[in-house]
Amino acid sequence: MNNELIMSILTALLVLVGIAQIKMLFSQKHQNQLALLQDYRNRWWNLKKQWATVVYVGRREGDYYQVADQSLLKVLDKVKGEYSLSAPTVWALESVRDVSNIFSDICIRILQGHLDIKDVYPIFGS
């Protein structure tokens, strides 16, 4: 075998190794994105009560939309009744902060290109 044939074979092998590495990188990126989506989905699921509190605080008295069940609504009504509306209250501050933080994290991930906008719906659900 002459040198040109050996170099051609070695070059072809290098091209095949490069293609395999590129495929592995794409697969790894996809797996990392799935893990990130699952992490945010779990975090959002754990914030279900805080989200219900934020919706409760943000709605008007006659609004229909509500995500809390009846038992949580009774607790929130009681807590709201214990505070004066003429003075600053902090009973919902932690809920607002937690929900705002996850929204902020996801928006930053979208702007950084780690998540697509189409990935947000599976995180938050309906």
Side-chain angles (χ1 to χ4, degrees):
M1 279 202 248
N2 59 13
N3 287 340
E4 290 176 6
L5 181 61
I6 293 173
M7 291 301 288
S8 297
I9 292 172
L10 291 176
T11 301
L13 285 175
L14 284 174
V15 168
L16 291 175
V17 168
I19 290 171
Q21 285 180 335
I22 289 172
K23 285 187 175 190
M24 286 176 32
L25 285 173
F26 278 118
S27 175
Q28 186 179 27
K29 180 184 176 191
H30 183 68
Q31 290 299 322
N32 288 342
Q33 188 173 17
L34 289 175
L36 185 65
L37 288 172
Q38 185 61 40
D39 178 53
Y40 279 119
R41 182 74 176 144
N42 291 338
R43 283 178 57 192
W44 180 247
W45 184 255
N46 292 333
L47 290 175
K48 188 167 61 167
K49 183 178 176 186
Q50 285 89 345
W51 174 240
T53 303
V54 170
V55 170
Y56 178 84
V57 170
R59 70 178 178 82
R60 291 178 297 210
E61 199 61 37
D63 286 349
Y64 174 76
Y65 181 72
Q66 190 57 257
V67 294
D69 58 12
Q70 287 298 321
S71 61
L72 182 57
L73 283 174
K74 288 177 184 176
V75 170
L76 291 172
D77 283 336
K78 182 181 177 200
V79 171
K80 184 178 101 176
E82 293 173 359
Y83 288 92
S84 169
L85 295 179
S86 62
T89 60
V90 294
W91 64 270
L93 182 63
E94 183 179 345
S95 296
V96 172
R97 183 176 34 238
D98 290 345
V99 170
S100 297
N101 282 340
I102 194 168
F103 286 161
S104 173
D105 288 350
I106 290 174
C107 288
I108 288 170
R109 292 291 186 160
I110 290 170
L111 291 173
Q112 290 174 339
H114 298 143
L115 289 176
D116 292 327
I117 292 175
K118 66 180 170 43
D119 296 328
V120 175
Y121 185 80
I123 292 172
F124 296 122
S126 50

